[in-house]
């Protein structure tokens, strides 16, 4: 390359022409010049670049470019690995220009993937504990030894009818359904997720409206974007959404952001509202009231698509069942939510609220709104945040419109896999206890308390990319559970990197990072559908070089594996002769009786379940799998639009019955779709007809997957299951509402993320650790002054319901007075030798009676390793592990842990040191009891004798009969 | 006579672009993707950086915002790093990229001292100076720089500033853009759109207390932001920055000092001889002074070489000279001065003096020109710097010779008087520097660090010790160690204080 043309300028200007003349792809970049953003895909087999380190000598370097998918946050952005074809190592990661969601761009965490795979502290071999659990002693074992032991225990539990003693607990799944199907094949209701400490609150609000639990905002085409989130810098889907939000802003769209602290997102807002925590629904309802009383809502849309008839029938039998009567009722319902009221509740200026309301009113159907965790994850009743936010879209008709908000399932594609095992026949009360019939997800964070109460035990407990000891509230309760072998018989940590939870495992099984494993996924990042493929890039590279790879361990460092192959292997060990009926779900379809291989699994999936992919691959003379190995992503459809308004095909309309509210049932088979994205399953009518649509102005349209088939302004389910008071979008009083706070208490916001870290998964990325490694307490200068002129860097003590922590202060104008905040991710610790030395402090754990404590022995220091950079570590402080001092706060409806804390902030005492933690387990148990008392259990409130409304989404949904209450 | 019209610019000339960059802070989301993409592309170690995202909070709740600035080399058309580089390792390509060549770099760190933006660092892996070079190795194969490609919001663009049809030229021409520290006259080709003064001016934002930023430690070295504690919280608050280091450490102060003794010993002896105060044939003038000067000159050379990251490449100074650099000129001066001293010792003292004295003066003062060439350091831009170095050399020379004179029992009086007078001049110059109105905020801050801040201790000790030397006519040789130690302490404080001002 370097010799083709000598003159610089000629070289550069000729580049584009030369690329195109060769029939190669030119990827334009942001600069809009003749420089490309990426090498042409036609040259990805052998791209010649100049070595940056040898520069200005022109040392040519050949790389093979292999796509994969980032496994840091949920966004699943495309990556392109530059593989050295001689050394067979990864040189670096860039974005993948063929990825429709991320479009070649990444956040800081994408390139830092390189750190994660070369991390000198990573786990390379299966380990088994020696001595007591948590004692810090390990021995290397073979995969065979480990898996035989684990499989033997699982088999025994299954054979002895103890299916509920097998549990798989996942943090970031990073895939769409593979592992759920493994559990279904085993016949266990053993799926546990992190979702109730994450997004259940956000999900629930959407789910009660639409029957689908995630929003898909079309930011790019919006005129007004309203975020109760920090999605320009963190969260789902940070990079893909940030691109589109900023595009819209460049077009002139207005950005409104609600956040109590100054986020990077807030800083870009045309209107930043920093409300009193928990008052967000009041603000949304004030905007809604403005739309209602000024008539600035889409009455036609509301009439056609809200279940207002059901509302009137159930709750207002006193009025005429007309839309006009409903409109009048609507005015009355929200009459109290004046701007003045919202201002008083939120502390946001009345005129600001009015201005924002006018903006929303003027957006028409180009109103893009989004919330995910944030306030919905912070407050008791936080799920009403998303319910009240989506109310604005439901009022303006900005639902699945260009610039509006669609339900996620229509912008997501989950290809049907080669085997689909049946629903499990069992119900697990440890994850779905009686008290939480409406929980969006498993009551994961209550597990130690439920085990303590003797509601069950676990024989085999897998944690996978999950760190409950650190991430969940009440971590000491997790320590108690994990160190008690009568409660948890065997703990298997499947993880690429050490975590506070893996320290307390019996087996640590090393799993690959994003460039070392297979997964397929699809996320709603714009109005379209795509799938992304994660793959072990060295496997793909060596296959391109003509090698045959049959096991990802052949290409991964050490004996690092990937879950998918591991699950297949483990399942065969559980059922070696197929007698349990498990093995058949892991057998080859091409060669029955033989083990299913990864190539066949994905080859079948791409060939049979992804519309358009085989044809697109054929254009390049490739098999679908080879196409995905080469390009890493495929866009299936674009501009999906209003699926709910599509007519139901005649073929489905046999033996039609329509109920009083226009729900249409028919006797026809559900059309088989290659897209198996989870959607809610509204019940059939009494005669067994399937809910197929809704009647709207005389036509039968698809509608929403809700019982009524419409957008459920009124949730009859909530009303029938004991929560009539919460059946409408409403403003519940948060547990940290000012009226709930004792004198001198403040609210602590503990959930905010920084742009360069992702929970506890990125501490193994030195470039990210260098940028962000500590989490001081953000406090407003007025509050700092009231504490006796606390200055930045000085120690403060934060006392919660169950204990206290000591941390440094960050005095900033970027937080509402009366509120303190502490970022997520930091405060990592290690009690022994193992761990992430660049980001974990050495600590001493203390336990006496019900008192737990932690004291920092040493911060981070430089150390020698295979990476010279570890001797250049200059930071020492890694912050405080705040989640330890939080008791469990399960929302009685959504099940979401309500993260906000009422705390007392004081100057640290003379004996206090940074990072100190003290917790009283008795008080944490009392908090658990107090919050359990808020629930309305199924056994007392179920209207139909079932444990849970069957129509609601549920991971690993069991068979219907398992829903019966005992 | 009418001059012929200038010939049209030839084709080849118009084809050479003038690369520039725009960072759009109105869209930058502060995600640091550019930082890690750059580290990945260029294998940049921890602790140093080619680019980072500075953050400043401005305002008071709820009218507060966080401002970002993607901070890196400015690709100056008049680049101080290029002018000062002794070996052309830092060079400006015809297309305007300020590039570097590790193979030529001797690791003198002059480019780092010169850069008004603190954009250059020594890579601990290869000990060469480096910085953002617009990913020239990518540009040259037709790819955008790594930071441009990774940016989620397309906030960074590159292009030909001379091509009016380019996007970058349009942005620069049609939207309000700013450059960092335009007063430095470096003509940056990195333009910021929507950046605020709070980030552009390194002293506009307050440095947080407690060694902390919003989610990181400030780390060792030169801490950014203005250290003033008097401002209200409503002022700008630096919320994120990286570790910065002073390029020149104690070795530079030490070499300035040894060089001062060397040139001073010779100058004092010869000048006093010329004035008839010392005897040409006496031991001091004939032997001791040139020997002291030669020894200290050798020591100076050794320290200079020891200060290089690549000591084995010291000869590049003379083999690959870049004549604008005062390091090169200084090397020639030192060599010439050494030769003069040798001649002097060989017995040609009187013949040598006419060029030996100017070389001695140049040896003493050229560091002033070198420091001035470090355009980033405002404290060193003082016109008094060169004369002050000469005065210091006289103090040092007189002090060095005084004990020898005492031992010989001759020439004590003139040396003691010289020492006292020169010390008084030194103190007067220091006072003038302190009391003169500070031209820039940087000078004010450097002066603060010098007189009352981090370097107050060596500074005050240095002044007190030199003040002792005022009594030289009465205490004779006892004044010498005080003067020498005092000068060293002062020099150290002065060199470090100038570098204690954050530039980024």
């Amino acid at each position: 390359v370097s010799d083709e043309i000598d003159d610089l300028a000629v070289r550069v200007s000729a580049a584009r022409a030369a690329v195109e003349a060769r029939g190669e792809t030119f990827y334009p970049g942001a600069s809009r010049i003749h420089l490309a953003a990426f090498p042409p895909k036609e040259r990805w087999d052998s791209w010649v670049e100049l070595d940056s380190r040898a520069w200005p000598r022109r040392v040519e370097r050949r790389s093979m470019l292999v796509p994969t998918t980032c496994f840091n946050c949920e966004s699943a952005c495309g990556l392109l690995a530059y593989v050295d074809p001689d050394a067979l190592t990864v040189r670096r990661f860039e974005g993948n220009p063929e990825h429709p969601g991320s479009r070649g761009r990444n956040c800081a965490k994408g390139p830092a993937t390189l750190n994660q795979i070369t991390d000198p502290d990573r786990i390379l071999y299966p380990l088994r504990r020696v001595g007591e659990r948590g004692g810090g002693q390990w021995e290397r074992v073979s995969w065979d030894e480990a898996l035989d032991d684990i499989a033997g225990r699982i088999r025994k539990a299954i054979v002895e009818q103890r299916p509920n003693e097998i549990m798989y607990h996942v943090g970031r799944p990073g895939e769409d359904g593979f592992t759920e199907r493994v559990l279904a094949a085993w016949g266990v209701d053993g799926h546990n997720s992190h979702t109730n400490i994450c997004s259940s609150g956000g999900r629930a609000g959407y789910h009660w409206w639409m029957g689908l639990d995630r929003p898909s905002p079309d930011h790019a085409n919006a005129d007004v974007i309203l975020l109760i989130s920090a999605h320009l810098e963190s969260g789902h889907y940070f990079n893909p959404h940030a691109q589109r939000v900023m595009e819209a802003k460049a077009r002139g769209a207005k950005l409104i952001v609600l956040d109590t602290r100054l986020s990077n997102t807030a800083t870009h807002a045309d209107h930043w509202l920093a409300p009193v925590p928990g008052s967000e629904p009041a603000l949304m309802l004030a905007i809604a009231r403005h739309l209602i009383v000024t008539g600035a809502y889409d009455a036609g849309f509301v009439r056609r698509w809200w279940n207002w008839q059901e509302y009137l029938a159930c709750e207002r039998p006193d009025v005429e069942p007309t839309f006009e009567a409903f409109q009048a009722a609507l005015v009355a319902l929200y009459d109290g939510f004046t701007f003045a009221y919202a201002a008083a509740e939120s502390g946001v200026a009345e005129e600001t609220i009015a201005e924002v309301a006018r903006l929303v009113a003027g957006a028409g159907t180009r109103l893009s709104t989004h919330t995910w965790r944030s306030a919905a994850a912070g407050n008791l009743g936080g799920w009403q945040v998303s319910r009240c936010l989506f109310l604005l879209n439901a009022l303006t008709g900005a639902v699945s419109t260009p610039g509006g908000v669609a339900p996620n399932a229509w912008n997501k594609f989950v290809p049907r896999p080669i085997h689909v095992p049946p629903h499990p026949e069992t119900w697990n009360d440890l994850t779905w206890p009686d008290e939480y019939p409406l929980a969006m997800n498993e009551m994961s964070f209550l597990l130690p308390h439920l085990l303590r109460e003797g509601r069950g035990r676990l024989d085999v407990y897998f944690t996978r990319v999950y760190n409950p000891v650190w991430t969940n509230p009440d971590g000491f309760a997790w320590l108690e559970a994990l160190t008690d072998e009568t409660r948890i018989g065997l703990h298997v940590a499947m993880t690429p990197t050490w975590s506070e939870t893996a320290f307390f495992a019996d087996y640590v099984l090393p799993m690959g990072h994003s460039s070392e494993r297979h997964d397929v996924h699809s996320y709603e990042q714009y109005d379209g559908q795509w799938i992304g493929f994660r793959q072990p890039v060295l496997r793909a590279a060596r296959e391109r070089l003509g090698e045959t790879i049959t096991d990802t361990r052949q290409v991964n460092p050490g004996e690092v594996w990937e879950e998918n192959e591991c699950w297949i292997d483990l399942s065969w060990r559980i059922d070696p002769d197929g007698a349990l009926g498990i093995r058949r779900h892991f057998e080859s379809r091409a060669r029955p009786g033989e083990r299913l291989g990864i190539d066949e699994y994905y080859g079948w999936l791409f060939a049979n379940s992804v519309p358009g992919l085989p044809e697109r691959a054929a254009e390049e003379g490739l098999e679908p799998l080879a196409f995905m190995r080469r390009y890493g992503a495929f866009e299936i459809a674009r501009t999906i639009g209003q699926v709910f308004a599509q007519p139901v095909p005649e073929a489905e309309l046999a033996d039609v019955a329509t109920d009083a509210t226009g729900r249409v049932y028919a006797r026809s088979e559900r059309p088989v779709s290659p897209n198996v994205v989870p959607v809610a399953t509204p019940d059939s009518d009494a005669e067994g007809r399937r809910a197929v649509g809704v009647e709207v102005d005389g036509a039968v349209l698809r509608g929403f997957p809700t019982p009524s088939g419409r957008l459920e302004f009124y949730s009859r389910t909530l009303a029938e299951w004991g929560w009539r008071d919460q059946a409408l979008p409403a403003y519940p009083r948060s547990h940290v509402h000012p009226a709930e706070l004792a004198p001198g208490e403040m609210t602590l916001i503990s959930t905010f993320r920084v742009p360069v870290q992702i929970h506890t998964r990125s501490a193994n990325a030195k470039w990210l650790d260098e940028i962000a490694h500590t989490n001081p307490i953000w406090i407003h200068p007025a509050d700092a002054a009231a504490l006796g002129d606390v200055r930045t860097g000085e120690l403060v003590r934060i006392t919660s319901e169950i204990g206290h922590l000591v941390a440094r202060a960050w005095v900033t104008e970027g937080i509402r007075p009366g509120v303190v905040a502490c970022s997520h991710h930091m405060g990592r610790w290690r009690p022994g030798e193992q761990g992430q030395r660049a980001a974990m402090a050495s600590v001493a754990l203390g336990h006496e009676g019900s008192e737990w404590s932690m004291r920092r022995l040493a911060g981070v220091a430089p150390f020698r390793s295979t990476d010279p950079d570890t001797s250049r570590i200059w930071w020492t402080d890694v912050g405080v592990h705040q989640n330890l001092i939080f008791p469990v706060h399960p929302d009685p409806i959504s099940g979401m842990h309500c993260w906000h804390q009422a705390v007392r902030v004081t100057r640290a005492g003379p004996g206090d040191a940074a990072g100190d933690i003290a917790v009283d387990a008795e008080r944490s148990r009392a908090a658990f009891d107090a919050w359990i008392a808020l629930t309305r259990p199924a056994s007392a409130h179920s209207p139909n004798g079932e444990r849970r409304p069957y129509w609601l989404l549920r991971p690993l949904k069991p068979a219907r009969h398992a829903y019966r209450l005992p | 006579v009418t001059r012929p019209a200038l010939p049209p610019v030839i084709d080849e000339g118009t084809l050479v672009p003038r690369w520039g960059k725009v960072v759009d802070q109105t869209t930058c989301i502060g995600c640091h993707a550019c930082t890690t993409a750059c580290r990945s592309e260029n294998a940049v170690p921890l602790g140093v950086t080619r680019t980072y995202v500075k953050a400043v909070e401005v305002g008071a709740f709820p009218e507060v915002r966080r401002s970002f600035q993607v901070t890196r080399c400015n690709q100056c058309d008049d680049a101080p790093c290029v002018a000062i580089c002794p070996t052309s390792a830092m060079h400006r390509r015809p297309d305007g990229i300020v590039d570097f060549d590790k193979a030529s770099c001797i690791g003198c760190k002059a480019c780092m001292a010169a850069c008004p933006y603190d954009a250059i660092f020594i890579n601990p892996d290869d000990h060469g100076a480096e910085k953002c070079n617009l990913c020239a190795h990518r540009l040259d194969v037709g790819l955008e720089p790594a930071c441009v490609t990774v940016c989620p919001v397309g906030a960074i663009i590159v292009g030909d500033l001379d091509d009016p049809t380019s996007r970058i030229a349009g942005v620069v021409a049609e939207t309000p853009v700013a450059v960092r520290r335009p007063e430095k006259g470096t003509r940056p080709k990195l333009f910021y759109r929507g950046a605020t003064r709070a980030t552009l001016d390194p002293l506009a934002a307050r440095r947080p207390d407690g060694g902390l930023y919003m989610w990181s430690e400030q780390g060792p070295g030169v801490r950014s932001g203005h250290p003033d504690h008097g401002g209200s919280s409503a002022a700008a608050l630096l919320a994120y920055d990286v570790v910065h280091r002073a390029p020149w450490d104690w070795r530079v102060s030490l070499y300035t000092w040894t060089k001062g003794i060397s040139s001073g010993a010779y100058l004092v002896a010869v000048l006093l001889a010329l004035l008839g105060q010392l005897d040409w044939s006496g031991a001091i003038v004939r032997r001791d002074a040139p020997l002291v000067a030669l020894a200290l000159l050798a020591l100076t050379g050794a320290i200079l070489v020891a200060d290089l990251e690549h000591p084995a490449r010291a000869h590049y100074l003379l083999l690959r000279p870049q004549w604008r650099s005062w390091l090169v000129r200084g090397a020639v001066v030192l060599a010439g001065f050494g030769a003069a001293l040798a001649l002097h010792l060989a017995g040609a003292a009187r013949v040598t003096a006419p060029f030996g004295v100017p070389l001695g003066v140049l040896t003493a003062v050229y560091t002033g020109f070198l420091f001035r060439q470090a355009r980033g350091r405002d404290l060193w831009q003082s016109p008094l710097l060169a004369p002050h170095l000469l005065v210091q050399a006289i103090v040092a020379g007189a002090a060095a010779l005084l004990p020898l004179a005492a031992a010989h029992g001759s020439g004590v009086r003139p040396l003691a008087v010289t020492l006292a007078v020169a010390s008084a001049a030194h103190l007067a110059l220091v006072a003038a520097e302190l009391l003169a109105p500070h031209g820039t905020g940087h000078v004010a801050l450097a002066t603060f660090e010098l007189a009352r801040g981090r370097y107050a201790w060596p500074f005050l000790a240095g002044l007190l010790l030199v003040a002792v030397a005022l009594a030289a006519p009465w205490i004779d040789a006892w004044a010498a160690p005080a003067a020498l130690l005092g000068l060293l302490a002062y020099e150290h404080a002065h060199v470090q204080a100038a570098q204690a001002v954050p530039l980024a």
Side-chain angles (χ1 to χ4, degrees), chain B residues 364-397:
Chain B
V365 302
Y366 89 82
T367 307
F369 304 132
L370 173 65
F371 280 8
R372 272 199 87 158
Q373 212 168 16
R375 269 153 76 179
R377 315 291 166 175
D378 284 14
L379 188 66
W380 292 341
Q381 303 307 311
S382 162
L384 293 178
L385 190 54
H388 194 170
L389 281 166
L390 184 60
V391 168
Q392 289 180 65
I394 301 295
V395 172

Side-chain angles (χ1 to χ4, degrees), chain B residues 151-163:
Chain B
C151 180
V153 294
I156 309 175
I157 62 169
V158 292
D160 181 0
L161 291 164
D162 286 345
D163 174 2

Side-chain angles (χ1 to χ4, degrees), chain A residues 9 11 30-31 36 52-53 55 58 94 105-106 108 232 243 262 264 267-268 770 773 812-813 869 872 876, chain B residues 15 28-29 36 41-42 47 57 61 66 99 125-126 130 138 140 142 144 150 152 158 167 215 217 233:
Chain A
R11 171 193 302 280
S31 308
S52 65
R53 295 308 315 169
W55 190 255
R58 294 173 170 269
E94 292 188 13
R105 308 177 207 167
N106 287 115
L232 287 186
Q243 299 179 16
L262 178 67
N264 291 0
T267 213
H268 275 291
E770 183 179 38
H773 43 257
T812 172
E813 292 286 346
D869 263 354
R872 297 173 188 139
T876 58
Chain B
L15 279 174
C28 168
I29 53 175
T36 62
E41 178 71 33
N42 298 298
E57 289 173 10
F61 181 90
R66 190 172 296 127
D99 203 354
D125 284 331
D126 59 25
E130 71 177 66
R138 286 175 63 101
D140 286 3
E144 289 181 316
V150 78
V158 292
R167 180 170 182 223
W215 47 59
E217 291 176 298
S233 64

Side-chain angles (χ1 to χ4, degrees), chain A residues 119-250:
Chain A
D119 163 31
D121 285 336
R122 74 177 291 185
I123 305 161
L124 293 173
Y125 301 95
L127 299 173
R128 180 167 57 200
R129 78 164 151 106
V130 176
E132 63 179 15
R133 199 184 279 167
Q137 300 297 311
W138 301 90
E139 62 178 357
R140 187 174 152 184
V141 291
S142 71
W143 274 103
D144 281 338
E145 274 180 276
L147 293 184
D148 278 342
D149 184 20
I150 298 162
R153 290 185 79 129
I154 294 173
R155 178 183 174 86
K156 193 158 183 285
I158 291 171
V159 169
E160 293 175 1
Q161 305 287 314
R162 295 181 282 112
N164 286 351
E165 294 189 12
I166 301 162
M167 184 177 286
Y168 160 81
H169 203 160
V170 63
R172 169 71 51 246
E175 49 112 350
D176 276 330
F178 189 105
T179 318
E180 270 189 52
R181 289 187 294 272
V182 170
L183 297 163
W186 296 354
V188 303
D189 184 19
H191 188 270
N192 203 347
S193 71
H194 73 288
T195 311
N196 264 341
I197 57 154
C198 177
S199 56
S200 286
R203 287 170 191 266
Y206 289 110
H207 193 21
W208 294 120
W209 267 111
M210 303 192 274
L212 295 164
D213 64 345
R214 288 171 91 138
S216 175
D218 181 17
H219 293 315
N221 296 302
D223 285 348
V224 173
I225 298 172
L226 199 173
L227 305 177
I228 307 182
S229 67
H231 278 72
L232 287 186
E233 75 211 82
S234 62
H236 314 340
Y237 301 104
F238 159 17
N239 164 41
H241 275 182
Q243 299 179 16
R244 292 163 172 94
V245 169
M246 296 316 279
E247 272 172 31
K249 273 204 77 178

